[in-house]
C-alpha cells in the first residue's frame, strides 16, 4: 500500500489528546482507526505487515537493533523523499499506523514517563523538527539509512549503517555535528575512519566521553578547524579520509 | 586588516565587503559579490534553479579561472535533509538545477573559487600587511569566497497561509475561546468544540469563508507576526518561514501597511496561489 499521510489538524489533535488516548499507545496501537483519515503519497510503498518485519531481538544492543531496523525501515519505505521524511504528518502516520508495536518495544513505552515518550517517539515537532532524526520512531531509523546511502559511494549500505549505528556514542557525536555530517564525502570519510579504528583497535574508547579533553572532541575540533580554510565539499572522500585519519593518529598519539 | 586566527586563510582571499573600514580587504578595493537568483521554473515545479552572475574585479583571479588553474564552485547545503553538493559554474555565470524534494527548510549557498593547479597569483592590490604582492597557490586552496545566502523550501509557501495553521478542539475551552501555540512547525490553534464547528461550517461556503478568515485566521496570524517580531528564534519554524517569505513576495507587487493586522489581511487577500493565477 501507499505510505499514509495524516492531516495536520489530526496530528495536532492526536498530540493534544495523548493523555486521553494513553491506553491506545500499546502494541496494538491505532492501526485501523487512523487509516480512514489518511491520504496517501502517490508512488510510494509500505508493506502492510511492516511492523512484523522489524527486528525485536532483545539480545542485541540498542545500537545493533537500530542498525538492523534502520536498514529495514529505509528499504521498505519505498520512494519516500527527504522532503517527505521531514514532514511530521508522514512520520506520525507511519508511527501510529504501522510502528506502534515496535515503538513500545524499542523505546520501552510503558507506564514510566509514558506521555513524554509518546510525544517524542510518535510525533516530530519539538526542537524545530530536529527531533525527527533523534526520537521519532520511524524518522530516526529512516534518516540513519538515508544518511549512509547518500554518501556511501561504492561501499556496502549494510556495513556502513552498522558502523554508524552500533556505537551509539559515535553516532550521537557525529550526526549532531551538521557542519561535518551534511557533506557526503566528509560523512563517508568519518565513517571509514571509525571502521578502520575499530578494525585495528577493537577495544578503543575513542568516541567515549564528551568533555573537551575527550579524543573524539579534539578530533572533531581539528576537522572543523581545517574545514574553515578548505572547501571540504569539493574534496574527494579519499582525500578527506587520509586527512582525518592523520588527525586521528595525532589525537591518539597525544 | 583584522586577523582572525580561526577564520584567516593565511593568504589573500577575495571575499565579500565586510563592512569594516576601506582598506581592510585582502585585495584592497576589491570584493567578491556575485549575484544569485533563485526560482522554481513554472514548467518544472519540483525543480529549484539558481542562476549565478559573476563579476571579477581582480584580473589575475579572473585569469586563473579562464586559464583553468582554478574553478568556480557553487556550494549548496541543507541541514534538514543532509544535502550538500558543489556545482561547477562557468566563468560567465550559469544556471544549476536541483530536485526540490531533496531539500527542506533552510538551504544555504555560496560561491567559491578553488585552485585546481599550483600557480603564482599576482596582484598589486594585495593588502600590504601580507608583505608580498604575489604568492604560490596550491591545488585545493580557496582563492575567493562569497557571502552565504539562503532560501527556504516549503511547499506551503505556494499555498494559502491557512495551510500552516492547524485547528484542534480543546474541550476545556468554551464558546468563542481559542488559544494559539507558536512553538511548533505549524501554528496550532485550539478552539472550543462550538467554535470549531462554526468555523468549519463557514469555511465550507464561499460566501461565509471571509467571515471565518476575519474572525479567526487573521487574528491568529496577527498574533503570530507580533510574537515573531519579539522572538526571532521562532523563525526556525515552518509557519514563520512561510509567512515572512510570502509577505516579502507580496510586498514586491503590493503596498502593505506595516501594522501586523494589515500584514495578516494582506496574506489572506493575496495568497501566492492567487498571485500565481493572476500572473498566468
Amino acid at each position: 500500500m501507499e505510505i499514509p499521510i495524516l492531516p495536520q489538524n489530526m496530528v495536532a489533535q492526536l498530540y493534544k489528546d495523548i493523555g486521553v488516548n494513553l491506553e491506545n499507545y500499546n502494541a496494538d496501537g491505532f492501526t485501523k482507526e487512523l487509516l480512514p483519515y489518511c491520504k496517501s503519497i502517490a508512488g510510494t510503498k509500505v508493506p502492510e505487515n511492516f511492523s512484523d518485519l522489524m527486528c525485536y531481538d532483545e539480545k542485541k544492543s540498542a545500537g545493533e537493533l537500530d542498525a538492523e531496523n534502520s536498514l529495514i525501515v529505509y528499504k521498505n519505505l519505498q520512494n519516500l523523499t527527504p522532503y517527505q521524511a521531514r514532514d511530521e504528518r508522514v512520520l506520525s502516520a507511519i508511527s501510529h499506523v504501522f510502528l506502534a508495536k515496535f515503538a513500545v518495544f524499542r523505546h520501552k513505552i510503558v507506564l514510566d514517563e509514558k506521555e513524554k515518550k509518546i510525544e517524542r517517539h510518535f510525533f516530530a515537532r519539538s526542537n524545530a523538527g530536529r527531533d525527527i532524526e533523534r526520537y521519532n520512531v520511524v524518522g530516526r531509523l529512516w534518516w540513519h539509512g538515508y544518511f549512509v546511502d547518500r554518501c556511501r559511494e561504492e561501499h556496502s549500505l549494510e556495513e556502513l549503517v552498522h558502523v554508524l549505528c552500533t556505537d551509539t556514542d559515535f553516532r550521537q557525536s557525529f550526526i549532531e555535528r551538521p557542519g561535518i555530517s551534511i557533506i557526503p564525502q566528509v560523512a563517508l570519510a568519518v565513517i571509514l575512519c571509525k571502521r578502520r579504528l575499530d578494525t585495528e583497535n577493537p577495544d578503543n574508547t575513542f568516541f567515549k566521553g564528551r568533555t573537551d579533553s575527550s579524543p573524539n572532541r579534539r578530533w572533531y575540533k581539528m576537522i572543523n578547524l581545517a574545514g574553515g580554510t578548505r572547501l571540504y565539499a569539493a574534496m574527494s572522500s579519499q582525500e578527506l579520509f587520509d586527512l582525518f585519519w592523520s588527525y586521528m593518529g595525532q589525537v591518539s598519539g597525544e | 586588516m583584522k586577523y582572525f586566527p580561526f577564520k584567516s586563510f593565511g593568504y589573500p582571499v577575495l571575499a565579500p565587503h565586510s563592512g569594516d573600514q576601506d582598506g581592510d580587504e585582502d585585495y584592497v578595493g576589491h570584493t567578491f559579490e556575485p549575484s544569485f537568483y533563485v526560482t522554481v521554473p513554472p514548467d518544472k515545479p519540483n525543480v529549484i534553479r539558481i542562476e549565478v552572475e559573476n563579476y571579477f574585479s581582480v584580473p589575475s583571479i579572473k585569469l586563473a579561472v579562464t586559464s583553468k588553474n582554478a574553478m568556480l564552485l557553487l556550494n549548496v547545503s541543507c541541514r534538514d535533509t543532509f544535502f550538500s553538493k558543489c556545482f561547477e559554474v562557468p566563468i560567465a555565470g550559469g544556471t544549476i538545477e536541483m530536485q526540490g524534494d531533496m531539500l527542506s527548510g533552510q538551504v544555504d549557498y555560496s560561491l567559491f573559487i578553488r585552485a585546481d593547479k599550483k600557480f603564482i597569483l599576482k596582484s598589486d592590490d594585495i593588502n600590504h600587511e601580507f608583505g608580498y604582492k604575489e604568492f604560490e597557490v596550491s591545488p585545493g586552496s580557496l582563492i575567493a569566497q562569497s557571502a552565504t545566502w539562503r532560501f527556504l523550501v516549503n511547499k506551503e509557501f505556494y499555498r494559502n497561509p491557512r495551510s500552516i495553521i492547524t485547528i484542534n478542539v480543546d474541550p476545556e475551552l468554551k464558546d468563542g475561546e481559542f488559544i494559539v501555540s507558536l512553538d511548533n512547525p505549524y501554528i496550532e490553534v485550539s478552539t472550543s468544540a462550538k467554535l470549531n464547528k462554526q468555523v468549519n461550517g463557514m469555511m465550507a461556503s464561499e460566501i461565509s469563508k471571509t467571515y471565518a478568515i476575519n474572525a479567526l485566521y487573521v487574528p491568529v496570524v496577527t498574533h503570530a507576526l507580533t510574537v515573531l517580531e519579539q522572538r526571532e528564534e521562532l523563525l526556525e519554524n515552518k509557519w514563520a518561514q512561510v509567512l515572512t517569505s510570502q509577505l516579502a513576495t507580496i510586498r514586491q507587487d503590493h503596498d502593505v501597511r506595516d501594522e501586523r493586522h494589515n500584514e495578516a489581511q494582506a496574506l489572506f487577500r493575496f495568497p501566492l496561489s492567487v498571485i500565481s493565477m493572476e500572473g498566468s
Side-chain angles (χ1 to χ4, degrees):
Chain A
M1 64 184 288
E2 287 179 333
I3 295 174
I5 177 168
L6 278 164
Q8 189 63 40
N9 283 348
M10 177 65 84
V11 177
Q13 192 71 55
L14 280 169
Y15 189 80
K16 188 158 197 57
D17 292 345
I18 290 173
V20 180
N21 291 324
L22 218 49
E23 286 183 9
N24 281 331
Y25 286 94
N26 57 40
D28 296 328
F30 283 90
T31 313
K32 297 283 190 302
E33 297 143 57
L34 289 180
L35 269 179
Y37 297 100
C38 295
K39 292 182 178 174
S40 59
I41 307 174
T44 60
K45 209 170 169 186
V46 54
E48 289 189 36
N49 64 340
F50 196 22
S51 179
D52 299 334
L53 303 178
M54 305 297 285
C55 174
Y56 296 84
D57 187 347
E58 291 184 44
K59 290 176 191 157
K60 290 185 188 290
S61 68
E64 288 168 332
L65 263 182
D66 282 350
E68 293 286 335
N69 286 309
S70 290
L71 289 164
I72 292 167
V73 166
Y74 184 66
K75 288 177 178 175
N76 280 288
L77 291 177
Q78 292 177 32
N79 300 329
L80 187 70
T81 68
Y83 183 89
Q84 291 157 351
R86 297 297 305 184
D87 192 329
E88 190 191 24
R89 296 171 303 168
V90 177
L91 298 177
S92 280
I94 300 170
S95 308
H96 281 82
V97 173
F98 294 104
L99 293 185
K101 180 183 168 188
F102 176 73
V104 168
F105 162 77
R106 173 62 183 87
H107 301 294
K108 299 179 175 57
I109 299 176
V110 281
L111 288 178
D112 186 35
E113 294 190 310
K114 188 168 182 180
E115 282 196 41
K116 191 177 171 189
K117 286 182 176 177
I118 292 167
E119 286 174 11
R120 277 183 166 184
H121 302 299
F122 281 83
F123 297 87
R125 53 186 45 214
S126 54
N127 205 4
R130 278 193 274 283
D131 285 354
I132 285 170
E133 68 245 25
R134 283 187 198 155
Y135 298 125
N136 177 266
V137 62
V138 59
R140 59 194 293 280
L141 297 172
W142 190 89
W143 279 102
H144 291 152
Y146 178 76
F147 184 89
V148 171
D149 199 22
R150 83 202 154 112
C151 74
R152 68 187 171 92
E153 298 177 3
E154 77 284 3
H155 298 276
S156 150
L157 174 68
E158 285 77 7
E159 184 192 11
L160 295 195
V161 166
H162 276 90
V163 175
L164 174 70
C165 294
T166 303
D167 180 347
T168 51
D169 290 323
F170 167 65
R171 178 180 52 187
Q172 193 172 353
S173 69
F174 180 31
I175 290 189
E176 287 181 2
R177 285 183 165 78
I180 293 174
S181 58
I182 67 169
I183 302 170
Q185 308 94 296
V186 174
L188 178 59
V190 168
I191 294 172
L192 294 179
C193 283
K194 165 68 173 161
R195 183 179 71 168
R196 183 163 167 185
L197 179 71
D198 288 347
T199 305
E200 294 186 1
N201 182 4
D203 298 324
N204 76 80
T205 55
F206 194 88
F207 289 96
K208 296 277 179 229
R210 308 190 87 186
T211 62
D212 281 346
S213 59
S214 306
N216 67 83
R217 289 284 288 263
R218 285 184 284 143
W219 185 55
Y220 286 127
K221 195 172 176 182
M222 290 173 88
I223 293 173
N224 270 331
L225 281 177
T229 57
R230 296 165 207 241
L231 186 55
Y232 279 164
M235 293 172 73
S236 73
S237 57
Q238 184 61 51
E239 286 175 298
L240 292 163
F241 171 78
D242 292 341
L243 184 68
F244 299 168
W245 184 249
S246 72
Y247 292 159
M248 207 170 230
Q250 285 178 43
V251 170
S252 299
E254 280 172 6
Chain B
M1 188 174 69
K2 291 184 179 67
Y3 176 72
F4 299 103
F6 296 113
K7 289 183 182 173
S8 175
F9 290 82
Y11 59 87
V13 172
L14 190 61
H17 184 60
S18 65
D20 293 335
Q21 286 179 309
D22 287 344
D24 263 358
E25 304 95 341
D26 286 7
Y27 292 86
V28 176
H30 301 280
T31 56
F32 187 49
E33 292 176 352
S35 301
F36 301 101
Y37 189 51
V38 181
T39 53
V40 176
D43 56 333
K44 296 179 184 172
N46 191 36
V47 165
I48 291 169
R49 181 181 285 166
I50 304 180
E51 292 172 40
V52 184
E53 280 180 31
N54 298 319
Y55 171 72
F56 293 96
S57 64
V58 180
S60 51
I61 290 183
K62 184 174 184 180
L63 181 64
V65 179
T66 52
S67 60
K68 302 202 181 301
N69 283 328
M71 66 162 65
L72 281 150
L73 294 166
L74 180 70
N75 184 37
V76 183
S77 64
C78 174
R79 161 66 184 86
D80 280 356
T81 58
F82 294 101
F83 178 91
S84 173
K85 192 168 180 181
C86 272
F87 299 87
E88 191 175 344
V89 176
I91 187 163
T95 301
I96 64 109
E97 290 187 345
M98 293 164 292
Q99 290 299 307
D101 53 17
M102 300 300 289
L103 308 166
S104 177
Q106 182 177 315
V107 180
D108 295 323
Y109 58 101
S110 50
L111 193 69
F112 295 86
I113 301 178
R114 186 196 64 178
D116 281 344
K117 297 174 186 165
K118 187 162 81 174
F119 66 97
I120 301 294
L121 187 53
K122 288 183 189 178
S123 174
D124 288 338
D125 296 323
I126 290 174
N127 196 304
H128 69 91
E129 289 189 29
F130 282 104
Y132 51 76
K133 294 295 176 189
E134 63 177 60
F135 63 103
E136 187 179 275
V137 179
S138 56
S141 52
L142 299 181
I143 54 179
Q145 65 172 7
S146 77
T148 299
W149 295 83
R150 72 173 55 157
F151 61 88
L152 299 162
V153 177
N154 288 313
K155 287 182 182 164
E156 285 79 358
F157 178 64
Y158 296 97
R159 296 180 187 152
N160 189 293
R162 274 190 291 122
S163 66
I164 46 90
I165 300 172
T166 68
I167 299 185
N168 58 70
V169 175
D170 184 337
E172 290 182 10
L173 298 174
K174 290 174 188 165
D175 299 325
E177 287 181 342
F178 66 89
I179 51 177
V180 182
S181 168
L182 300 172
D183 292 314
N184 297 309
Y186 291 76
I187 297 174
E188 293 192 359
V189 183
S190 299
T191 66
S192 67
K194 189 176 172 186
L195 179 60
N196 191 277
K197 195 176 171 187
Q198 284 174 337
V199 169
N200 283 339
M202 285 196 285
M203 290 305 288
S205 152
E206 279 303 317
I207 298 167
S208 56
K209 198 187 254 183
T210 311
Y211 295 110
I213 288 172
N214 279 308
L216 185 69
Y217 289 99
V218 168
V220 165
V221 170
T222 302
H223 170 69
L225 292 172
T226 306
V227 175
L228 181 60
E229 201 174 33
Q230 295 151 4
R231 292 177 57 196
E232 264 188 34
E233 75 275 12
L234 291 175
L235 261 177
E236 285 199 325
N237 290 324
K238 180 184 276 193
W239 65 261
Q241 296 170 2
V242 169
L243 292 185
T244 50
S245 300
Q246 287 204 355
L247 262 178
T249 305
I250 289 168
R251 280 206 158 98
Q252 289 172 8
D253 298 313
H254 301 272
D255 285 332
V256 180
R257 293 169 64 104
D258 282 338
E259 288 88 346
R260 301 294 161 256
H261 59 276
N262 293 120
E263 290 178 335
Q265 289 169 49
L267 280 163
F268 286 101
R269 190 174 170 204
F270 307 115
L272 286 191
S273 52
V274 175
I275 290 174
S276 304
M277 282 186 273
E278 283 173 353
S280 60

